[in-house]
């Protein structure tokens, strides 16, 4: 019949018209500022630096090993090593970054820095409200702005954080056991 | 100032039909991004059409030659930004060929699942865009995007990102499926046929759609094969060529699915083939979600950093949603590829645009372009 | 008083449109001015209470004839013309003079000029229709036939085999 | 009649009564004009937001809901945006025509509302040949579109204007022809007369609207299709087909001039919808006798809204036709069908005596068949010989 297909189509849009009023499956829009989606554990937006303890700068896990800087595909990480060293969680003396900048306007949220970091020092954040009126300085994050406590990481990525924490506990325990088994050399530091 | 404008090279060739030369694009509403068609029109009939591209060129291949092998992976997301996972897969396949890394079975299944979900996203969105080009106010597109949201949610909970997934790694995948993911995916796959039925009720029988697409933009099988057209466009012309069958990469060899083939190679066939392929994809999804084994997801020998493949070359290709997506790599033993080359299906499918558009009206040219299914990120790279 | 002003406005519009249609350089402007003249004429009809004639004038002349002229201009050539005398200008002057003579003759013969008050003619649509269908049915049909023939002729002239699209180069 | 029914008429009378006697006709005319402009101006604003919301819902999204409660103040925001936008006139444009085109479109469209009866005793101007007036006024819009497209000196504009004119001329034929049966059977060109002719009732108190007859139903459908094309709405929105020719003849317009075009188009749609209500849906009459207590203008408004919803619904669903298909559809389907409809109306008229309970359905069905069969054949002929249904092979 002429127009049968058109009528079928009209019925379909009418069904969606009615459906959008009662069926959440159809009306998938989330009205953003009032509603937000529940956070997704794996979601990633931009990187941050993890620190332990109360002092952000002292507790940074980052050892300025430069791996992330080298691996970052868009080359948005910039690190300068500090001369001073500080002990890490296993008591080993490690370097620390003097400057750790990430240009967030260049970062493409791929998460490769997280994957390559051997110290679990850099992780992906889930913030997305980053708009600023200063696109150069406002989006260049330094280590103070990047540092987040480990609790924050635990809050975002529960599974990953508990894995990391367990591993670090284990390593710490092993290191302590090693240190106990092998008494420090007389007179030796380091 | 005359309203008529005869371009110099065309003026005087035929006094009876002064040609109107219009440049559709690069910021035309329906050129799918920054694509341009220089068309010479006689009335509204296209007598000459020159595709112009390169407006979105981002130097992808040269950047990849300066990047580590891993570092190019997130860049492949941005080739065809509708289907980042299949791009990942193509690139991973090429590097795996180069290095000889084997992929664990579970990872292969995950790849198949993600690849088919991507195909669903792509095909439904393409049909939506095609109808958008036909002036359907975006309604089918919105329905397609509604379903796409659900699949993107799956991607987000697995890979952490909705579009730029950066998920596959050489020798497997980045992370394992989160708990409950398979169930969710089954739920989405089970509801998708309802959406397809709805889609078909809205579109397939529609007289206007038929009038606009039947017999429009016919691509003969000979021309399609000669021009190297691949993917749904080639199959709509009736040529049986699907790399999932030909190469049986991944675990496609174990999957039971059929390849739908078109009859006439016009826009309607291209529309219909995509719908039918989605139905076949759902079959594959069902099997893969049912059979997925436990096990590791990454080859234990896989190296994330400092990958230095032995000197040699490799070509990895997959059946992307748009056609044969190939990555060609030459290694000189260094940490980055010596030569990196993408075979973008969109670009090669686009080369037959003029042949399909000649003699059709300008309104048809837009629809034909929509049926080719291009993403400029891939065409221009 | 109001009536006179309205008449003057309409008449000015008509005359100005007509003069502009003759003198302007741009053909599209000429066509649009001609449409303006047609509209002015319709307004004069309406002012004379000839509703049917007035609206028919609008519908036919502004809605169809003016558009036809515009179409013809666009389909045949560009809008700009060279200011050159037409070779058949003598013919044009002759026709113009003849038409003017006819008009002057009929105006001179009209009772309004001879002092007798113009009688108001009541012409409701219904009566026009009845007259057309009874008394003037033959002329009406003849005109209809003529127009149909003209339409068919135009179609035949315009009908041209569409150029076959060249087969795509292998 | 109830007070609510005549409230606007009463207000008009009272207000005009305050004026000195010689000025009274002028004052009441101005009041009518002000009333029409206010109501349909508001209607325009409401329709823009309602259209976007309905389209949104049909596409499973919310539509505008940010400005004011339920997004109702969206038109205000749009208006402010339109008015504060830069008014760009292309360098090579024909500036006079570019300026005049929106006016030529909008002003006559307002005039068309003068003859529409919005309720009992509620038409601003009861013309003897109202329908003719309506179509005569409408013919100016073609010139306006042409002026806009030509004066912009833009290829897309020109193509859009050519498309628009071709389309409007083609669809004016079925539009006018589909109204002719109504005029014939009502024996009047006056819209008030046509409404009055549909005022009586049959068994069960059902009104004698034209749409309840086979020719009226067919006529309404033909009229609506042609009206969609006349007002350049989807699926006949080729002149502005944004996916093909950017915005057609509107490409080079911005700011207030664009808003005027927008206004003109919507008002044209309203006018032609109002005409459809008047011609086929009984004007301001209630569908049943026992519903006549509700104010007549409310009935008009209700029917008007339903038709507007239909237009929006079609817009949400249908893709656009191609120009040649569009013209073919008009000349090879709509125009012949409306001529046949004329004959069916005549048949209906001749069988006017078949009023008995047994004969009436026979008459109805006979006339319905007389129009349905040609429609079927014409549709077949239009589509040409259908190719066999497609079969899709599967390769294993």
């Amino acid at each position: 019949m002429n127009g049968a297909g058109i009528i079928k189509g009209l019925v379909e849009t009418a069904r969606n018209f009615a459906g959008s009023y009662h069926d959440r499956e159809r009306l998938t829009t989330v009205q953003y500022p009032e509603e937000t989606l529940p956070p997704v554990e794996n979601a990633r937006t931009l990187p941050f630096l993890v620190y332990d303890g109360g002092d952000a700068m002292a507790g940074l896990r980052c050892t300025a090993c430069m791996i992330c800087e080298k691996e970052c595909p868009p080359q948005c990480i910039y690190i300068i090593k500090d001369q001073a060293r500080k002990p890490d969680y296993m008591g080993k003396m490690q370097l620390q970054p003097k400057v750790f900048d990430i240009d967030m306007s260049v970062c493409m949220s791929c998460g490769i820095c997280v994957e390559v970091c051997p110290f679990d020092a850099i992780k992906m954040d889930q913030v997305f409200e980053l708009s600023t009126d200063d696109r150069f300085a406002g989006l260049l994050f330094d280590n103070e702005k990047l540092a987040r406590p480990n609790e924050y990481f635990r809050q975002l990525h529960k599974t990953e954080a508990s894995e990391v924490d367990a591993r670090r506990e284990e390593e710490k325990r092993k290191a302590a056991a090693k240190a106990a088994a092998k008494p420090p050399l007389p007179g030796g530091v380091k | 100032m005359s309203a008529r404008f005869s371009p110099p090279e065309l003026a005087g060739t035929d006094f009876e039909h002064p040609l109107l030369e219009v440049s559709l694009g690069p910021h035309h509403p329906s050129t799918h991004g920054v694509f341009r068609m220089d068309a010479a029109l006689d009335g509204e009939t296209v007598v000459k059409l020159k595709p112009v591209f390169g407006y979105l060129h981002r130097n992808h291949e040269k950047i990849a030659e300066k990047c580590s092998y891993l570092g190019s992976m997130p860049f492949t997301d941005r080739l065809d930004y509708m289907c980042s996972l299949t791009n990942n897969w193509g690139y991973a396949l090429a590097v795996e060929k180069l290095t000889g890394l084997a992929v664990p079975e579970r990872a292969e299944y995950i790849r198949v699942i993600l690849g088919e979900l991507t195909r669903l996203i792509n095909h439904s969105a393409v049909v939506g865009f095609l109808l958008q080009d036909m002036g359907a106010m975006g309604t089918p597109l919105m329905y397609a995007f509604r379903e796409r949201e659900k699949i993107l949610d799956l991607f987000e909970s697995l890979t952490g990102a909705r579009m730029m997934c950066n998920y596959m790694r050489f020798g497997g995948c980045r992370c394992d499926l989160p708990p409950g993911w398979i169930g969710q995916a089954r739920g989405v796959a089970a509801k998708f046929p309802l959406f397809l039925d709805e889609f078909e009720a809205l579109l397939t029988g529609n007289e206007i759609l038929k009038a606009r697409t039947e017999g429009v933009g016919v691509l003969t099988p000979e021309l399609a094969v000669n021009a190297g057209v691949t993917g749904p466009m080639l199959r709509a012309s009736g040529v049986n060529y699907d790399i999932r069958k030909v190469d049986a990469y991944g675990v496609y060899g174990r999957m039971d699915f059929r390849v739908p083939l078109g009859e006439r190679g016009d826009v309607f066939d291209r529309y219909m083939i995509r719908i039918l392929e989605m139905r076949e994809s759902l079959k594959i999804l069902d099997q893969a979600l049912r059979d997925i084994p436990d096990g590791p997801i990454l080859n234990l020998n896989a190296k994330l950093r400092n990958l230095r493949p032995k000197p040699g070359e490799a070509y990895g290709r997959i059946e992307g949603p748009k056609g044969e997506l190939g990555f060609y790599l030459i290694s000189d033993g260094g940490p980055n590829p010596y030569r990196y080359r993408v075979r973008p299906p969109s670009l090669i499918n686009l080369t037959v645009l003029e042949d399909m558009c000649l003699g059709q009206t300008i309104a048809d040219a837009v629809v034909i372009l929509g049926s080719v299914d291009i993403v400029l990120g891939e065409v221009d790279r | 008083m109001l009536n006179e002003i309205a008449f003057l406005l309409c008449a000015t519009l008509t005359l100005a449109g007509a003069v502009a249609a003759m003198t302007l350089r741009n053909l599209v402007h000429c066509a649009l001015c001609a449409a303006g003249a047609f509209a002015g004429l319709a307004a004069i009809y309406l002012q004379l209470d000839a509703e049917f004639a007035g609206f028919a004038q609008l519908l036919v002349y502004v809605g169809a004839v003016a558009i036809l002229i515009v179409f013809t201009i666009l389909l045949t050539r560009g809008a700009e013309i060279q200011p050159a005398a037409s070779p058949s200008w003598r013919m044009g002057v002759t026709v113009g003079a003849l038409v003017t003579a006819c008009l002057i003759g009929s105006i001179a013969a009209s009772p309004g000029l001879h002092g007798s008050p113009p009688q108001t003619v009541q012409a409701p649509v219904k009566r026009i229709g009845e007259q057309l269908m009874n008394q003037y049915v033959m002329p009406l049909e003849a005109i209809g036939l003529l127009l149909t023939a003209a339409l068919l002729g135009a179609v035949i002239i315009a009908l041209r085999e569409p150029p076959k699209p060249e087969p795509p180069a292998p | 009649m109830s007070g609510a029914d005549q409230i606007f008429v009463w207000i008009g009378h009272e207000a005009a009564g305050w004026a000195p006697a010689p000025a009274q006709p002028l004052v009441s005319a101005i009041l009518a004009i002000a009333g029409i402009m206010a109501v349909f101006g508001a209607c325009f604003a409401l329709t823009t937001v309602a259209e976007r919301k309905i389209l949104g819902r049909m596409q499973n999204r919310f539509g505008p809901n940010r400005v004011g409660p339920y997004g109702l103040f969206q038109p205000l925001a749009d208006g402010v945006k339109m008015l504060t936008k830069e008014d760009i006139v292309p360098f090579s444009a024909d500036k006079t025509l570019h300026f005049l085109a929106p006016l030529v479109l909008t002003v006559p469209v307002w005039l068309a509302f003068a003859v529409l009866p919005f309720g009992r005793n509620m038409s601003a101007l009861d013309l003897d040949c109202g329908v003719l007036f309506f179509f005569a006024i409408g013919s100016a819009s073609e010139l306006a579109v042409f002026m806009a497209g030509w004066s912009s000196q833009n290829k897309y504009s020109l193509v859009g204007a050519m498309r628009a004119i071709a389309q409007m001329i083609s669809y004016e034929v079925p539009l006018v022809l589909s109204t002719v049966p109504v005029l014939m059977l009502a024996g009047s060109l006056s819209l008030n007369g046509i409404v009055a002719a549909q005022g009586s009732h049959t068994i069960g108190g059902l009104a004698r609207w034209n749409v309840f007859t086979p020719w009226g139903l067919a006529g309404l459908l033909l009229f609506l299709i042609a009206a969609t094309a006349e007002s350049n709405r989807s699926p006949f929105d080729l002149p502005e087909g944004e996916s093909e020719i950017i915005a057609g003849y509107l490409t080079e317009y911005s700011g207030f001039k664009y808003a005027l075009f927008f206004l003109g188009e919507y008002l044209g749609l309203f006018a032609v919808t109002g005409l459809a209500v008047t011609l086929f849906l009984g004007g301001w009459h209630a569908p049943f006798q026992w519903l006549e207590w509700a104010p007549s203008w409310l009935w008009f408004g209700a029917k008007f809204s339903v038709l507007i919803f239909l237009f929006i619904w079609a817009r949400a669903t249908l893709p656009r036709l191609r120009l040649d298909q569009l013209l073919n559809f008009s000349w090879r389907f709509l125009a012949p069908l409306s001529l046949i409809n004329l004959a069916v109306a005549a048949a209906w008229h001749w069988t006017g005596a078949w009023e008995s309970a047994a004969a009436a359905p026979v008459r109805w069905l006979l006339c319905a068949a007389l129009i349905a069969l040609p429609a079927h054949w014409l549709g077949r002929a239009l589509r040409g010989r259908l190719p066999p249904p497609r079969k899709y092979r599967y390769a294993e």
Side-chain angles (χ1 to χ4, degrees):
Chain A
M1 201 186 82
N2 300 327
I6 288 175
I7 290 167
K8 222 165 138 189
L10 285 171
V11 171
E12 201 49 58
T13 36
R15 267 185 51 205
N16 277 290
F17 178 64
S20 69
Y21 282 99
H22 63 78
D23 191 354
R24 195 65 208 186
E25 283 271 293
R26 286 193 195 279
L27 196 65
T28 46
T29 313
V30 176
Q31 306 216 53
Y32 160 58
E34 293 94 35
E35 302 169 32
T36 40
L37 284 170
V40 179
E41 205 187 313
N42 273 348
R44 56 180 149 90
T45 54
L46 296 168
F48 67 90
L49 295 177
V50 187
Y51 68 84
D52 295 306
D55 184 0
M57 285 308 106
L60 272 189
R61 289 181 185 172
C62 177
T63 62
C65 68
M66 317 290 277
I67 290 178
C68 53
E69 191 195 74
K70 211 162 88 194
E71 285 294 328
C72 174
Q75 310 271 294
C76 68
I77 303 178
Y78 178 71
I79 306 174
I80 294 181
K81 290 179 185 173
D82 202 347
Q83 296 303 319
R85 286 170 186 260
K86 59 165 193 222
D88 70 352
Y89 63 102
M90 292 188 292
K92 234 154 98 192
M93 291 309 274
Q94 294 279 18
L95 279 173
Q96 58 177 344
K98 190 168 163 192
V99 174
F100 194 109
D101 285 348
I102 300 184
D103 189 347
M104 291 305 184
S105 60
V106 173
C107 173
M108 63 179 187
S109 311
C110 62
I112 280 190
C113 49
V114 176
E115 277 174 75
V116 297
C117 181
F119 299 98
D120 290 306
I122 190 166
K123 293 290 169 195
M124 293 309 269
D125 208 340
Q126 292 182 358
V127 292
F128 45 86
E129 288 155 324
L130 287 160
S131 52
T132 167
D133 52 3
D134 180 3
R135 68 184 175 131
F136 300 110
L139 287 173
L140 185 70
F141 284 23
D142 57 7
N143 37 5
E144 307 231 348
K145 220 168 165 186
L146 284 168
R148 295 276 183 286
N150 193 24
E151 286 71 47
Y152 180 76
F153 174 45
R154 254 181 240 146
Q155 217 178 338
L156 288 186
H157 305 280
K158 230 174 269 154
T159 329
E160 198 190 341
S162 54
E163 237 170 66
V164 169
D165 283 351
R167 195 169 65 233
R168 285 168 71 92
E169 267 320 303
E170 179 73 8
E171 281 168 9
K172 208 168 161 181
R173 207 173 45 76
K174 270 187 190 160
K178 224 171 163 185
K182 207 199 274 174
L185 293 173
V189 205
K190 286 187 192 167
Chain B
M1 180 87 195
S2 165
R4 273 180 188 288
F5 170 65
S6 301
E9 76 269 26
L10 295 165
T13 49
D14 184 356
F15 188 68
E16 282 287 300
H17 312 286
L19 296 176
L20 183 72
E21 191 170 86
V22 288
S23 164
L24 292 143
H27 42 228
H28 185 275
S30 61
T31 47
H32 296 241
V34 281
F35 175 59
R36 185 168 131 216
M37 297 189 280
D38 274 348
L41 306 180
D42 174 16
E44 289 215 6
T45 312
V46 178
V47 291
K48 203 174 161 194
L49 187 138
K50 200 174 95 194
V52 183
F53 24 67
Y55 292 95
L56 201 63
H57 180 56
R58 293 158 304 173
N59 219 350
H60 173 72
E61 289 169 1
K62 279 294 164 210
I63 288 177
E65 285 164 19
K66 299 283 167 225
C67 244
S68 69
Y69 282 90
L70 173 68
S72 309
M73 185 57 91
F75 286 127
T76 61
D77 288 339
R78 280 125 179 113
L79 276 178
D80 173 359
Y81 40 78
M82 291 292 279
C83 355
S84 64
L85 283 163
T86 45
N87 299 342
N88 283 181
W89 194 355
Y91 178 52
L93 209 62
V95 177
E96 279 152 15
K97 273 195 175 172
L98 196 63
T99 53
L101 273 175
V103 182
E105 197 162 313
R106 183 173 172 83
E108 290 281 25
Y109 271 93
I110 293 176
R111 286 180 177 189
V112 167
I113 292 167
L114 294 178
E116 293 309 314
L117 284 174
T118 306
R119 199 178 311 278
L120 292 182
I121 288 183
N122 182 71
H123 283 1
S124 54
V126 165
V127 173
F129 282 125
L130 176 65
L131 267 287
Q132 175 95 323
D133 289 345
M134 254 179 253
M137 270 311 292
T139 309
L141 184 63
M142 287 295 161
Y143 294 168
F145 269 41
R146 184 188 74 207
E147 297 308 310
R148 178 171 175 261
E149 273 313 287
K150 295 168 189 165
I151 297 178
L152 289 188
D153 283 346
L154 283 179
F155 286 176
E156 190 183 12
S157 68
L158 171 59
T159 70
R162 298 172 79 78
M163 288 175 77
M164 303 298 137
C165 296
N166 180 24
Y167 178 66
M168 297 189 189
R169 292 288 173 264
F170 318 124
C173 300
R174 200 180 69 214
C175 53
D176 204 353
L177 303 176
W181 194 89
I182 298 227
Q184 282 174 31
R186 278 205 191 109
V188 170
K191 282 206 180 127
F192 205 85
L194 300 179
F195 156 71
L196 279 184
D197 294 343
E198 194 180 297
F199 222 46
E200 285 216 67
L202 181 64
L203 301 176
T204 304
N206 190 313
E207 280 83 356
I208 298 180
L209 180 112
K210 278 190 173 166
R212 280 304 297 279
T213 55
E214 285 188 342
V216 170
V218 175
L219 178 65
T220 57
E222 296 76 35
L223 180 63
V225 171
N226 286 341
V229 170
T230 47
M233 249 181 96
L234 178 67
R235 292 192 285 276
S237 294
V239 180
N240 177 16
Y241 180 72
D242 186 326
I243 300 170
R244 290 176 294 176
K245 289 282 185 197
V246 176
D247 277 9
Y249 61 95
V251 283
Y252 276 118
R254 299 181 208 170
M255 301 292 164
D256 172 35
F257 68 101
R258 302 175 299 170
V259 181
L261 297 177
E263 205 177 340
R264 269 163 250 179
D266 55 6
V267 176
F268 188 80
D269 272 353
R270 272 170 237 149
Y271 154 76
M272 209 54 211
I273 288 295
R274 293 201 166 100
I275 297 275
L276 296 175
E277 275 194 11
M278 280 195 266
R279 294 198 187 274
E280 295 300 318
S281 283
L282 286 169
K283 273 196 206 164
I284 301 177
L285 267 182
D286 281 346
Q287 297 168 45
L289 287 168
R290 187 191 62 207
D291 298 339
I292 180 165
D294 285 332
I297 49 145
L298 194 62
N299 189 327
L300 293 174
N301 300 326
K303 269 169 83 180
L304 200 58
R305 294 176 48 224
N306 294 330
L307 186 68
R308 287 166 186 271
K310 283 196 285 290
E313 57 178 351
Y315 179 65
R317 59 175 189 174
I318 60 159
E319 179 70 29
K322 294 178 166 61
E324 175 180 336
L325 175 67
F327 287 83
Y328 177 61
L329 295 169
I330 300 181
S331 166
D332 57 357
N336 41 334
Y338 171 77
R339 178 79 175 100
Y340 172 102
R341 157 88 187 147
V342 186
R343 182 209 187 273
S346 301
L347 171 68
I348 292 167
N349 290 357
L350 203 53
T351 52
V352 287
L353 185 66
E354 184 178 9
D355 301 287
M356 291 192 287
C357 287
L358 286 186
Q360 315 270 4
T361 67
I362 191 70
D364 286 335
V366 166
V367 172
I368 293 168
L369 177 67
S371 76
V372 174
D373 181 10
I374 57 168
V375 161
L376 264 294
E378 191 180 71
V379 173
D380 294 340
R381 302 189 302 291
Chain C
M1 186 56 203
L2 269 176
N3 256 339
E4 271 81 28
I5 293 175
F7 173 75
L8 274 179
L9 280 178
C10 298
T12 318
L13 173 67
T14 316
L15 281 179
V19 170
M22 287 295 99
T23 50
L24 285 182
R25 279 279 154 261
N26 192 314
L27 276 183
V28 171
H29 287 174
C30 294
L32 292 175
C33 286
F38 293 147
L41 213 55
I44 292 177
Y45 289 153
L46 290 179
Q47 213 199 356
L48 295 173
D49 276 345
E51 282 182 5
F52 186 81
F55 294 142
Q57 164 85 12
L58 263 186
L59 188 63
V60 173
Y61 280 89
V62 179
V65 174
I67 292 288
L68 203 67
I69 294 172
V70 159
F71 237 88
T72 323
I73 292 170
L74 281 189
L75 287 182
T76 46
R77 59 170 129 176
E80 294 279 325
I81 48 161
Q82 298 302 317
S86 160
S88 56
W89 65 276
R90 283 194 189 82
M91 189 62 132
V93 168
T94 318
V95 171
L98 276 177
V99 170
T100 317
C102 287
L103 281 177
I104 287 174
S106 52
I107 289 171
S110 87
L113 275 188
H114 302 294
S116 53
Q119 72 245 38
T120 45
V121 183
Q122 279 300 318
V125 183
K126 209 156 193 153
R127 253 193 65 206
I128 296 177
E130 275 160 7
Q131 291 278 311
L132 275 180
M133 278 298 139
N134 296 321
Q135 199 177 341
Y136 296 105
V137 68
M138 280 315 286
L140 183 75
E141 291 293 315
I143 289 173
L145 206 64
L146 185 71
L147 287 179
T148 315
L151 196 66
L152 286 179
V155 168
I156 288 167
I157 290 172
L159 198 68
R160 187 186 56 195
E161 279 297 308
K164 293 217 164 52
E166 287 160 34
Chain D
M1 274 306 119
S2 63
D5 187 20
Q6 293 296 300
I7 182 151
F8 295 116
V9 181
W10 181 79
I11 291 174
H13 264 291
E14 290 296 307
W18 287 95
Q24 271 189 13
L26 192 66
V27 169
S28 78
I30 288 173
L31 280 176
I33 292 171
I36 288 176
M37 289 189 87
V39 169
F40 282 92
C43 198
F44 162 67
L46 266 181
T47 310
T48 53
V49 66
E51 169 155 30
R52 288 165 65 184
K53 284 189 90 77
I54 294 172
L55 276 179
R57 286 292 176 168
M58 285 186 171
Q59 298 176 353
N60 294 322
R61 48 188 182 84
F62 281 100
N65 62 353
R66 294 279 142 178
V67 194
Y70 300 101
L72 277 180
F73 297 156
Q74 185 68 36
L76 284 181
D78 287 347
V80 169
K81 177 203 149 207
M82 286 284 192
L83 291 181
T84 51
K85 248 179 146 170
E86 186 188 356
D87 177 30
I88 299 167
V89 181
F91 177 72
S92 59
D94 191 319
K95 306 225 168 28
T96 325
L97 290 186
H98 194 264
F99 173 77
L100 276 179
L103 295 179
V104 175
L105 182 77
T106 316
V107 173
V109 171
W110 278 116
L111 290 179
F113 289 96
V115 287
L116 289 178
F118 305 112
R120 204 184 300 274
N121 307 327
M122 275 171 66
S123 65
L125 193 63
D126 185 12
L127 276 183
D128 208 12
C129 37
V131 178
L132 197 63
F133 170 80
F134 191 93
F135 289 123
I137 290 301
S139 61
S141 62
E142 286 157 32
L143 271 183
V145 165
F146 169 75
M147 281 160 73
W150 184 80
S151 68
S152 297
Q153 292 286 18
N154 175 316
K155 290 170 196 167
Y156 291 118
S157 295
L158 191 67
V159 171
M162 295 298 268
R163 281 183 174 192
I165 296 173
Q167 174 175 336
M168 282 173 156
I169 289 180
S170 307
Y171 278 81
E172 207 152 77
V173 174
L175 187 75
V176 175
L177 277 181
S178 62
T179 59
V180 172
V182 179
L183 309 180
M184 263 171 36
L185 270 83
S188 169
L189 271 173
S190 149
L191 289 169
N192 280 315
I194 291 166
V195 174
Q198 301 178 64
S200 57
H201 302 274
T202 57
I203 15 147
L206 186 69
R208 272 184 202 276
W209 294 357
N210 287 330
V211 72
F212 296 140
T213 59
W215 58 267
L217 185 61
L220 177 67
L221 291 178
L222 289 172
F223 187 88
L224 284 184
I225 294 172
T228 322
E230 275 290 297
S231 42
N232 294 339
R233 285 186 61 89
S234 179
F236 305 108
D237 58 346
L238 285 93
E240 297 153 36
E242 93 286 340
S243 64
E244 296 150 23
I245 49 170
I246 321 287
Y249 56 90
L250 297 175
T251 307
E252 296 290 1
Y253 279 92
S254 69
F256 192 53
K257 288 181 194 157
Y258 181 82
L260 270 184
F261 266 110
F262 207 58
L263 176 73
E265 276 184 10
Y266 270 88
L267 287 178
L269 177 73
F270 294 161
V272 89
T273 311
L275 190 67
V277 169
T278 307
L279 291 178
F280 297 100
L281 294 174
W284 39 262
H285 282 296
F288 292 99
Q289 195 162 20
W290 43 272
L291 281 174
E292 286 279 0
W293 53 267
S296 53
W297 41 269
L298 213 59
W299 282 117
F300 184 89
K303 294 172 200 174
F304 181 80
S305 313
V306 168
L307 287 191
I308 292 286
F309 180 80
L310 274 181
F311 282 121
I312 298 174
W313 190 7
R315 184 174 176 209
T317 311
L318 301 176
R320 183 185 305 130
L321 281 164
R322 207 170 55 206
L323 190 65
D324 55 329
Q325 293 162 349
L326 181 93
L327 298 186
N328 270 342
F329 185 59
S330 170
W331 291 109
R332 287 171 56 189
F333 185 79
L334 291 182
L337 203 61
S338 44
L339 280 174
I340 292 168
N341 200 28
L342 205 61
V344 174
W348 180 264
H349 183 63
W350 288 327
T351 52
W354 301 8
E355 278 289 350
S356 69
V362 175
R363 175 197 189 201
W364 209 98
L365 286 177
L366 185 73
C367 287
L370 277 181
I371 186 73
L373 285 177
H376 183 66
W377 291 325
L378 280 173
R380 291 271 296 273
L382 180 70
R383 282 190 291 183
R385 276 190 45 232
L386 281 180
R390 298 187 181 213
K391 284 213 186 74
Y392 289 93
R393 288 181 296 131
Y394 285 94
E396 283 302 327

